Amino acid sequence: MKGIINPDVSLLLLIGICISAVAIGITDFLTYRIPNILIIIFVSCTILFEIMYRKQYVCEYILSCTLFFTIYFIIFKHIGGLGFGDVKFAAAIGLLLGFSGAFAAVIAATATAIVYALGLYAKSIIKKQEKNFRTIKIPYGTFLSAGAVFVFLMRQMYFL
């Protein structure tokens, strides 16, 4: 990790990012909500990590955050199916991973969420409780969290 001022602080930030992302995923899975405090912790650790480690790319990561917020906000407002916590978390993932990393995380999250939804739909058909596919509730933040942690850890392991 070149350019890091203090490796111990960097490791704590990496752990904070991963733990807060996992906490977001678990909380969303259990309650279908993403608490603001977890988003604040995630974003705070991300900003500190960006300042310490990737200072020269901060503008790119801020633009990525803005782009993902805009895309998810449009989906939230006009299409539906997402909560505002998902919008904020997608923006935070854009801040953490930049455009290419966040795009990979979102693709992975969406693909696994679709498989999960199809499994729930198949289960409802088997139990003869047929539901409309659009009414199935999915904790999308859980899948965003898994995709983001996976991409983030892969980057830390292989692209240093």
Side-chain angles (χ1 to χ4, degrees):
M1 291 186 183
K2 293 182 260 180
I4 294 178
I5 298 166
N6 184 342
D8 295 333
V9 173
S10 178
L11 182 60
L12 286 175
L13 291 173
L14 292 172
I15 291 170
I17 289 167
C18 291
I19 288 176
S20 60
V22 169
I24 287 169
I26 291 170
T27 304
D28 191 39
F29 186 78
L30 295 175
T31 65
Y32 293 95
R33 295 180 46 90
I34 300 176
N36 286 336
I37 188 66
L38 292 177
I39 296 285
I40 290 168
I41 293 168
F42 183 85
V43 169
S44 299
C45 290
T46 298
I47 289 171
L48 290 172
F49 183 76
E50 298 293 338
I51 290 169
M52 288 180 63
Y53 183 53
R54 302 185 283 211
K55 195 180 294 189
Q56 66 271 26
Y57 302 111
V58 169
C59 288
E60 175 194 337
Y61 287 91
I62 291 172
L63 285 173
S64 175
C65 173
T66 305
L67 177 68
F68 278 93
F69 179 83
T70 303
I71 291 169
Y72 273 73
F73 187 74
I74 290 169
I75 293 170
F76 169 74
K77 271 302 212 195
H78 298 289
I79 297 173
L82 292 176
F84 197 64
D86 297 324
V87 175
K88 292 182 283 189
F89 191 42
I93 291 169
L95 182 64
L96 174 67
L97 299 175
F99 180 76
S100 61
F103 186 73
V106 165
I107 294 296
T110 303
T112 54
I114 289 170
V115 170
Y116 177 78
L118 289 173
L120 288 179
Y121 187 63
K123 180 181 168 185
S124 71
I125 289 174
I126 290 170
K127 288 187 172 185
K128 307 231 189 268
Q129 304 168 340
E130 291 188 41
K131 295 181 180 179
N132 181 355
F133 189 72
R134 285 193 50 86
T135 63
I136 294 174
K137 287 183 78 173
I138 300 171
Y140 188 63
T142 301
F143 300 102
L144 278 175
S145 177
V149 168
F150 178 75
V151 171
F152 182 66
L153 290 178
M154 288 299 109
R155 275 190 170 177
Q156 298 310 309
M157 289 172 43
Y158 296 111
F159 299 114
L160 291 179

mmCIF file of all heavy atoms in Angstrom, residues 26-63:
data_model
loop_
_atom_site.group_PDB
_atom_site.id
_atom_site.type_symbol
_atom_site.label_atom_id
_atom_site.label_comp_id
_atom_site.label_asym_id
_atom_site.label_seq_id
_atom_site.Cartn_x
_atom_site.Cartn_y
_atom_site.Cartn_z
ATOM 1 N N ILE A 26 -26.599 -7.050 6.579
ATOM 2 C CA ILE A 26 -27.366 -7.848 7.551
ATOM 3 C C ILE A 26 -28.610 -7.093 8.014
ATOM 4 O O ILE A 26 -29.706 -7.654 8.077
ATOM 5 C CB ILE A 26 -26.475 -8.239 8.749
ATOM 6 C CG1 ILE A 26 -25.414 -9.248 8.292
ATOM 7 C CG2 ILE A 26 -27.309 -8.811 9.893
ATOM 8 C CD1 ILE A 26 -24.327 -9.520 9.317
ATOM 9 N N THR A 27 -28.447 -5.816 8.327
ATOM 10 C CA THR A 27 -29.582 -5.008 8.774
ATOM 11 C C THR A 27 -30.657 -4.925 7.700
ATOM 12 O O THR A 27 -31.852 -5.068 7.997
ATOM 13 C CB THR A 27 -29.120 -3.595 9.176
ATOM 14 O OG1 THR A 27 -28.115 -3.706 10.169
ATOM 15 C CG2 THR A 27 -30.269 -2.772 9.702
ATOM 16 N N ASP A 28 -30.249 -4.718 6.460
ATOM 17 C CA ASP A 28 -31.225 -4.641 5.379
ATOM 18 C C ASP A 28 -31.926 -5.979 5.186
ATOM 19 O O ASP A 28 -33.132 -6.026 4.953
ATOM 20 C CB ASP A 28 -30.553 -4.186 4.079
ATOM 21 C CG ASP A 28 -31.560 -3.843 3.001
ATOM 22 O OD1 ASP A 28 -32.613 -3.246 3.330
ATOM 23 O OD2 ASP A 28 -31.312 -4.161 1.823
ATOM 24 N N PHE A 29 -31.193 -7.070 5.296
ATOM 25 C CA PHE A 29 -31.794 -8.393 5.138
ATOM 26 C C PHE A 29 -32.846 -8.659 6.211
ATOM 27 O O PHE A 29 -33.902 -9.217 5.927
ATOM 28 C CB PHE A 29 -30.722 -9.484 5.170
ATOM 29 C CG PHE A 29 -31.247 -10.855 4.881
ATOM 30 C CD1 PHE A 29 -31.517 -11.234 3.580
ATOM 31 C CD2 PHE A 29 -31.488 -11.755 5.905
ATOM 32 C CE1 PHE A 29 -32.015 -12.501 3.299
ATOM 33 C CE2 PHE A 29 -31.979 -13.017 5.639
ATOM 34 C CZ PHE A 29 -32.242 -13.394 4.329
ATOM 35 N N LEU A 30 -32.552 -8.238 7.435
ATOM 36 C CA LEU A 30 -33.467 -8.512 8.546
ATOM 37 C C LEU A 30 -34.629 -7.531 8.636
ATOM 38 O O LEU A 30 -35.725 -7.915 9.052
ATOM 39 C CB LEU A 30 -32.688 -8.503 9.869
ATOM 40 C CG LEU A 30 -31.631 -9.601 10.028
ATOM 41 C CD1 LEU A 30 -30.851 -9.395 11.323
ATOM 42 C CD2 LEU A 30 -32.276 -10.975 9.984
ATOM 43 N N THR A 31 -34.403 -6.263 8.257
ATOM 44 C CA THR A 31 -35.428 -5.240 8.492
ATOM 45 C C THR A 31 -35.917 -4.517 7.235
ATOM 46 O O THR A 31 -36.847 -3.730 7.315
ATOM 47 C CB THR A 31 -34.897 -4.160 9.461
ATOM 48 O OG1 THR A 31 -33.812 -3.466 8.824
ATOM 49 C CG2 THR A 31 -34.428 -4.763 10.766
ATOM 50 N N TYR A 32 -35.278 -4.760 6.105
ATOM 51 C CA TYR A 32 -35.572 -4.041 4.854
ATOM 52 C C TYR A 32 -35.369 -2.530 5.024
ATOM 53 O O TYR A 32 -36.055 -1.727 4.422
ATOM 54 C CB TYR A 32 -36.997 -4.318 4.357
ATOM 55 C CG TYR A 32 -37.195 -5.749 3.925
ATOM 56 C CD1 TYR A 32 -37.707 -6.691 4.803
ATOM 57 C CD2 TYR A 32 -36.844 -6.149 2.654
ATOM 58 C CE1 TYR A 32 -37.882 -8.005 4.419
ATOM 59 C CE2 TYR A 32 -37.010 -7.465 2.251
ATOM 60 C CZ TYR A 32 -37.534 -8.393 3.143
ATOM 61 O OH TYR A 32 -37.688 -9.691 2.750
ATOM 62 N N ARG A 33 -34.402 -2.174 5.863
ATOM 63 C CA ARG A 33 -34.049 -0.770 6.089
ATOM 64 C C ARG A 33 -32.537 -0.660 6.209
ATOM 65 O O ARG A 33 -31.881 -1.583 6.686
ATOM 66 C CB ARG A 33 -34.684 -0.235 7.378
ATOM 67 C CG ARG A 33 -36.190 -0.171 7.364
ATOM 68 C CD ARG A 33 -36.766 0.359 8.669
ATOM 69 N NE ARG A 33 -36.074 1.545 9.136
ATOM 70 C CZ ARG A 33 -36.416 2.793 8.811
ATOM 71 N NH1 ARG A 33 -37.427 3.007 8.029
ATOM 72 N NH2 ARG A 33 -35.738 3.818 9.290
ATOM 73 N N ILE A 34 -32.001 0.479 5.795
ATOM 74 C CA ILE A 34 -30.584 0.761 5.964
ATOM 75 C C ILE A 34 -30.486 2.012 6.841
ATOM 76 O O ILE A 34 -30.805 3.109 6.395
ATOM 77 C CB ILE A 34 -29.879 0.986 4.612
ATOM 78 C CG1 ILE A 34 -30.002 -0.258 3.735
ATOM 79 C CG2 ILE A 34 -28.419 1.364 4.834
ATOM 80 C CD1 ILE A 34 -29.421 -0.094 2.340
ATOM 81 N N PRO A 35 -30.061 1.845 8.097
ATOM 82 C CA PRO A 35 -29.991 2.998 9.001
ATOM 83 C C PRO A 35 -28.956 4.032 8.543
ATOM 84 O O PRO A 35 -27.880 3.675 8.057
ATOM 85 C CB PRO A 35 -29.567 2.380 10.334
ATOM 86 C CG PRO A 35 -29.875 0.928 10.219
ATOM 87 C CD PRO A 35 -29.744 0.591 8.775
ATOM 88 N N ASN A 36 -29.289 5.294 8.721
ATOM 89 C CA ASN A 36 -28.385 6.374 8.325
ATOM 90 C C ASN A 36 -27.046 6.305 9.044
ATOM 91 O O ASN A 36 -26.017 6.633 8.460
ATOM 92 C CB ASN A 36 -29.039 7.735 8.577
ATOM 93 C CG ASN A 36 -30.111 8.042 7.572
ATOM 94 O OD1 ASN A 36 -30.109 7.507 6.464
ATOM 95 N ND2 ASN A 36 -31.037 8.900 7.933
ATOM 96 N N ILE A 37 -27.049 5.875 10.303
ATOM 97 C CA ILE A 37 -25.794 5.838 11.055
ATOM 98 C C ILE A 37 -24.797 4.879 10.398
ATOM 99 O O ILE A 37 -23.590 5.154 10.362
ATOM 100 C CB ILE A 37 -26.031 5.486 12.550
ATOM 101 C CG1 ILE A 37 -24.737 5.650 13.355
ATOM 102 C CG2 ILE A 37 -26.589 4.093 12.714
ATOM 103 C CD1 ILE A 37 -24.252 7.059 13.459
ATOM 104 N N LEU A 38 -25.276 3.773 9.856
ATOM 105 C CA LEU A 38 -24.372 2.838 9.182
ATOM 106 C C LEU A 38 -23.835 3.436 7.885
ATOM 107 O O LEU A 38 -22.663 3.243 7.547
ATOM 108 C CB LEU A 38 -25.079 1.511 8.910
ATOM 109 C CG LEU A 38 -25.435 0.683 10.144
ATOM 110 C CD1 LEU A 38 -26.186 -0.574 9.756
ATOM 111 C CD2 LEU A 38 -24.191 0.342 10.949
ATOM 112 N N ILE A 39 -24.671 4.169 7.171
ATOM 113 C CA ILE A 39 -24.207 4.853 5.956
ATOM 114 C C ILE A 39 -23.159 5.905 6.327
ATOM 115 O O ILE A 39 -22.134 6.040 5.656
ATOM 116 C CB ILE A 39 -25.387 5.519 5.214
ATOM 117 C CG1 ILE A 39 -26.392 4.477 4.720
ATOM 118 C CG2 ILE A 39 -24.890 6.390 4.065
ATOM 119 C CD1 ILE A 39 -25.967 3.694 3.523
ATOM 120 N N ILE A 40 -23.392 6.630 7.421
ATOM 121 C CA ILE A 40 -22.448 7.669 7.856
ATOM 122 C C ILE A 40 -21.101 7.044 8.226
ATOM 123 O O ILE A 40 -20.041 7.563 7.851
ATOM 124 C CB ILE A 40 -23.037 8.478 9.032
ATOM 125 C CG1 ILE A 40 -24.196 9.346 8.525
ATOM 126 C CG2 ILE A 40 -21.979 9.333 9.709
ATOM 127 C CD1 ILE A 40 -25.030 9.970 9.624
ATOM 128 N N ILE A 41 -21.122 5.933 8.945
ATOM 129 C CA ILE A 41 -19.873 5.251 9.299
ATOM 130 C C ILE A 41 -19.144 4.781 8.040
ATOM 131 O O ILE A 41 -17.932 4.977 7.896
ATOM 132 C CB ILE A 41 -20.147 4.075 10.260
ATOM 133 C CG1 ILE A 41 -20.645 4.593 11.605
ATOM 134 C CG2 ILE A 41 -18.908 3.200 10.427
ATOM 135 C CD1 ILE A 41 -21.200 3.520 12.515
ATOM 136 N N PHE A 42 -19.885 4.175 7.119
ATOM 137 C CA PHE A 42 -19.303 3.678 5.861
ATOM 138 C C PHE A 42 -18.672 4.825 5.075
ATOM 139 O O PHE A 42 -17.527 4.728 4.627
ATOM 140 C CB PHE A 42 -20.403 2.986 5.039
ATOM 141 C CG PHE A 42 -19.924 2.363 3.766
ATOM 142 C CD1 PHE A 42 -19.397 1.082 3.760
ATOM 143 C CD2 PHE A 42 -20.010 3.044 2.566
ATOM 144 C CE1 PHE A 42 -18.961 0.497 2.587
ATOM 145 C CE2 PHE A 42 -19.583 2.472 1.381
ATOM 146 C CZ PHE A 42 -19.054 1.193 1.397
ATOM 147 N N VAL A 43 -19.405 5.917 4.916
ATOM 148 C CA VAL A 43 -18.901 7.059 4.140
ATOM 149 C C VAL A 43 -17.724 7.721 4.855
ATOM 150 O O VAL A 43 -16.743 8.112 4.205
ATOM 151 C CB VAL A 43 -20.037 8.071 3.859
ATOM 152 C CG1 VAL A 43 -19.500 9.375 3.297
ATOM 153 C CG2 VAL A 43 -21.042 7.462 2.897
ATOM 154 N N SER A 44 -17.772 7.836 6.177
ATOM 155 C CA SER A 44 -16.666 8.453 6.925
ATOM 156 C C SER A 44 -15.375 7.660 6.748
ATOM 157 O O SER A 44 -14.317 8.237 6.480
ATOM 158 C CB SER A 44 -17.007 8.551 8.411
ATOM 159 O OG SER A 44 -18.135 9.352 8.602
ATOM 160 N N CYS A 45 -15.455 6.344 6.899
ATOM 161 C CA CYS A 45 -14.268 5.506 6.700
ATOM 162 C C CYS A 45 -13.783 5.600 5.261
ATOM 163 O O CYS A 45 -12.576 5.651 5.006
ATOM 164 C CB CYS A 45 -14.578 4.057 7.056
ATOM 165 S SG CYS A 45 -14.828 3.757 8.805
ATOM 166 N N THR A 46 -14.712 5.649 4.321
ATOM 167 C CA THR A 46 -14.347 5.750 2.905
ATOM 168 C C THR A 46 -13.635 7.060 2.620
ATOM 169 O O THR A 46 -12.599 7.079 1.941
ATOM 170 C CB THR A 46 -15.600 5.623 2.024
ATOM 171 O OG1 THR A 46 -16.187 4.330 2.239
ATOM 172 C CG2 THR A 46 -15.275 5.781 0.564
ATOM 173 N N ILE A 47 -14.165 8.162 3.115
ATOM 174 C CA ILE A 47 -13.546 9.467 2.861
ATOM 175 C C ILE A 47 -12.139 9.523 3.457
ATOM 176 O O ILE A 47 -11.196 9.975 2.795
ATOM 177 C CB ILE A 47 -14.428 10.605 3.401
ATOM 178 C CG1 ILE A 47 -15.678 10.752 2.527
ATOM 179 C CG2 ILE A 47 -13.660 11.921 3.459
ATOM 180 C CD1 ILE A 47 -16.722 11.691 3.075
ATOM 181 N N LEU A 48 -11.985 9.048 4.687
ATOM 182 C CA LEU A 48 -10.659 9.034 5.293
ATOM 183 C C LEU A 48 -9.697 8.151 4.500
ATOM 184 O O LEU A 48 -8.535 8.504 4.285
ATOM 185 C CB LEU A 48 -10.741 8.571 6.748
ATOM 186 C CG LEU A 48 -11.399 9.541 7.710
ATOM 187 C CD1 LEU A 48 -11.592 8.896 9.082
ATOM 188 C CD2 LEU A 48 -10.574 10.814 7.825
ATOM 189 N N PHE A 49 -10.187 7.004 4.042
ATOM 190 C CA PHE A 49 -9.359 6.103 3.238
ATOM 191 C C PHE A 49 -8.950 6.771 1.925
ATOM 192 O O PHE A 49 -7.795 6.668 1.500
ATOM 193 C CB PHE A 49 -10.122 4.800 2.969
ATOM 194 C CG PHE A 49 -9.318 3.780 2.218
ATOM 195 C CD1 PHE A 49 -8.331 3.053 2.864
ATOM 196 C CD2 PHE A 49 -9.543 3.543 0.883
ATOM 197 C CE1 PHE A 49 -7.584 2.112 2.188
ATOM 198 C CE2 PHE A 49 -8.802 2.612 0.191
ATOM 199 C CZ PHE A 49 -7.818 1.885 0.850
ATOM 200 N N GLU A 50 -9.903 7.455 1.292
ATOM 201 C CA GLU A 50 -9.596 8.153 0.029
ATOM 202 C C GLU A 50 -8.541 9.231 0.236
ATOM 203 O O GLU A 50 -7.611 9.356 -0.556
ATOM 204 C CB GLU A 50 -10.861 8.807 -0.552
ATOM 205 C CG GLU A 50 -11.971 7.866 -0.928
ATOM 206 C CD GLU A 50 -11.638 6.971 -2.079
ATOM 207 O OE1 GLU A 50 -10.740 7.295 -2.873
ATOM 208 O OE2 GLU A 50 -12.273 5.915 -2.194
ATOM 209 N N ILE A 51 -8.672 9.997 1.302
ATOM 210 C CA ILE A 51 -7.723 11.085 1.563
ATOM 211 C C ILE A 51 -6.324 10.527 1.834
ATOM 212 O O ILE A 51 -5.332 11.063 1.355
ATOM 213 C CB ILE A 51 -8.215 11.960 2.728
ATOM 214 C CG1 ILE A 51 -9.440 12.756 2.295
ATOM 215 C CG2 ILE A 51 -7.114 12.889 3.217
ATOM 216 C CD1 ILE A 51 -10.154 13.456 3.430
ATOM 217 N N MET A 52 -6.269 9.420 2.578
ATOM 218 C CA MET A 52 -4.966 8.861 2.925
ATOM 219 C C MET A 52 -4.318 8.093 1.779
ATOM 220 O O MET A 52 -3.104 8.127 1.632
ATOM 221 C CB MET A 52 -5.112 7.917 4.124
ATOM 222 C CG MET A 52 -5.382 8.611 5.419
ATOM 223 S SD MET A 52 -5.553 7.433 6.764
ATOM 224 C CE MET A 52 -3.936 6.702 6.794
ATOM 225 N N TYR A 53 -5.118 7.395 1.005
ATOM 226 C CA TYR A 53 -4.564 6.416 0.077
ATOM 227 C C TYR A 53 -4.674 6.806 -1.388
ATOM 228 O O TYR A 53 -3.784 6.513 -2.174
ATOM 229 C CB TYR A 53 -5.242 5.066 0.344
ATOM 230 C CG TYR A 53 -4.734 3.939 -0.496
ATOM 231 C CD1 TYR A 53 -3.382 3.634 -0.565
ATOM 232 C CD2 TYR A 53 -5.619 3.165 -1.218
ATOM 233 C CE1 TYR A 53 -2.924 2.590 -1.332
ATOM 234 C CE2 TYR A 53 -5.165 2.114 -1.989
ATOM 235 C CZ TYR A 53 -3.819 1.831 -2.044
ATOM 236 O OH TYR A 53 -3.376 0.794 -2.806
ATOM 237 N N ARG A 54 -5.782 7.421 -1.769
ATOM 238 C CA ARG A 54 -6.000 7.705 -3.191
ATOM 239 C C ARG A 54 -6.305 9.180 -3.420
ATOM 240 O O ARG A 54 -7.235 9.514 -4.152
ATOM 241 C CB ARG A 54 -7.149 6.851 -3.709
ATOM 242 C CG ARG A 54 -6.905 5.374 -3.535
ATOM 243 C CD ARG A 54 -7.980 4.558 -4.150
ATOM 244 N NE ARG A 54 -9.180 4.538 -3.338
ATOM 245 C CZ ARG A 54 -10.024 3.515 -3.293
ATOM 246 N NH1 ARG A 54 -9.825 2.463 -4.005
ATOM 247 N NH2 ARG A 54 -11.090 3.579 -2.545
ATOM 248 N N LYS A 55 -5.524 10.033 -2.825
ATOM 249 C CA LYS A 55 -5.773 11.474 -2.881
ATOM 250 C C LYS A 55 -5.870 11.998 -4.308
ATOM 251 O O LYS A 55 -6.685 12.853 -4.614
ATOM 252 C CB LYS A 55 -4.672 12.216 -2.127
ATOM 253 C CG LYS A 55 -5.003 13.651 -1.801
ATOM 254 C CD LYS A 55 -3.875 14.322 -1.053
ATOM 255 C CE LYS A 55 -3.701 13.701 0.306
ATOM 256 N NZ LYS A 55 -2.766 14.422 1.164
ATOM 257 N N GLN A 56 -5.042 11.480 -5.213
ATOM 258 C CA GLN A 56 -5.020 11.995 -6.582
ATOM 259 C C GLN A 56 -6.284 11.622 -7.370
ATOM 260 O O GLN A 56 -6.552 12.208 -8.409
ATOM 261 C CB GLN A 56 -3.757 11.526 -7.329
ATOM 262 C CG GLN A 56 -3.675 10.047 -7.586
ATOM 263 C CD GLN A 56 -3.016 9.260 -6.459
ATOM 264 O OE1 GLN A 56 -3.033 9.667 -5.309
ATOM 265 N NE2 GLN A 56 -2.452 8.116 -6.779
ATOM 266 N N TYR A 57 -7.062 10.658 -6.891
ATOM 267 C CA TYR A 57 -8.255 10.223 -7.622
ATOM 268 C C TYR A 57 -9.558 10.667 -6.963
ATOM 269 O O TYR A 57 -10.635 10.219 -7.362
ATOM 270 C CB TYR A 57 -8.276 8.696 -7.750
ATOM 271 C CG TYR A 57 -7.062 8.149 -8.444
ATOM 272 C CD1 TYR A 57 -6.119 7.402 -7.746
ATOM 273 C CD2 TYR A 57 -6.852 8.369 -9.794
ATOM 274 C CE1 TYR A 57 -4.998 6.894 -8.374
ATOM 275 C CE2 TYR A 57 -5.741 7.865 -10.441
ATOM 276 C CZ TYR A 57 -4.816 7.124 -9.721
ATOM 277 O OH TYR A 57 -3.718 6.630 -10.348
ATOM 278 N N VAL A 58 -9.503 11.509 -5.975
ATOM 279 C CA VAL A 58 -10.696 11.883 -5.208
ATOM 280 C C VAL A 58 -11.788 12.466 -6.108
ATOM 281 O O VAL A 58 -12.963 12.138 -5.956
ATOM 282 C CB VAL A 58 -10.329 12.849 -4.054
ATOM 283 C CG1 VAL A 58 -11.568 13.453 -3.431
ATOM 284 C CG2 VAL A 58 -9.522 12.116 -3.004
ATOM 285 N N CYS A 59 -11.419 13.304 -7.072
ATOM 286 C CA CYS A 59 -12.429 13.906 -7.960
ATOM 287 C C CYS A 59 -13.183 12.836 -8.746
ATOM 288 O O CYS A 59 -14.401 12.905 -8.899
ATOM 289 C CB CYS A 59 -11.785 14.897 -8.920
ATOM 290 S SG CYS A 59 -11.276 16.407 -8.100
ATOM 291 N N GLU A 60 -12.458 11.831 -9.231
ATOM 292 C CA GLU A 60 -13.103 10.741 -9.972
ATOM 293 C C GLU A 60 -14.100 9.993 -9.085
ATOM 294 O O GLU A 60 -15.210 9.670 -9.500
ATOM 295 C CB GLU A 60 -12.051 9.762 -10.494
ATOM 296 C CG GLU A 60 -12.653 8.538 -11.162
ATOM 297 C CD GLU A 60 -11.657 7.419 -11.388
ATOM 298 O OE1 GLU A 60 -10.440 7.686 -11.436
ATOM 299 O OE2 GLU A 60 -12.114 6.272 -11.501
ATOM 300 N N TYR A 61 -13.707 9.747 -7.844
ATOM 301 C CA TYR A 61 -14.576 9.011 -6.934
ATOM 302 C C TYR A 61 -15.798 9.841 -6.533
ATOM 303 O O TYR A 61 -16.899 9.308 -6.375
ATOM 304 C CB TYR A 61 -13.785 8.542 -5.707
ATOM 305 C CG TYR A 61 -12.845 7.404 -6.055
ATOM 306 C CD1 TYR A 61 -11.534 7.646 -6.447
ATOM 307 C CD2 TYR A 61 -13.276 6.092 -6.029
ATOM 308 C CE1 TYR A 61 -10.681 6.616 -6.794
ATOM 309 C CE2 TYR A 61 -12.439 5.051 -6.367
ATOM 310 C CZ TYR A 61 -11.140 5.313 -6.753
ATOM 311 O OH TYR A 61 -10.309 4.285 -7.104
ATOM 312 N N ILE A 62 -15.632 11.133 -6.398
ATOM 313 C CA ILE A 62 -16.767 12.009 -6.097
ATOM 314 C C ILE A 62 -17.739 12.045 -7.285
ATOM 315 O O ILE A 62 -18.960 11.996 -7.103
ATOM 316 C CB ILE A 62 -16.291 13.417 -5.697
ATOM 317 C CG1 ILE A 62 -15.604 13.359 -4.331
ATOM 318 C CG2 ILE A 62 -17.448 14.414 -5.668
ATOM 319 C CD1 ILE A 62 -14.919 14.633 -3.921
ATOM 320 N N LEU A 63 -17.205 12.105 -8.498
ATOM 321 C CA LEU A 63 -18.065 12.064 -9.690
ATOM 322 C C LEU A 63 -18.813 10.735 -9.783
ATOM 323 O O LEU A 63 -19.992 10.697 -10.132
ATOM 324 C CB LEU A 63 -17.244 12.303 -10.956
ATOM 325 C CG LEU A 63 -16.797 13.731 -11.198
ATOM 326 C CD1 LEU A 63 -15.845 13.793 -12.392
ATOM 327 C CD2 LEU A 63 -17.986 14.641 -11.426
#
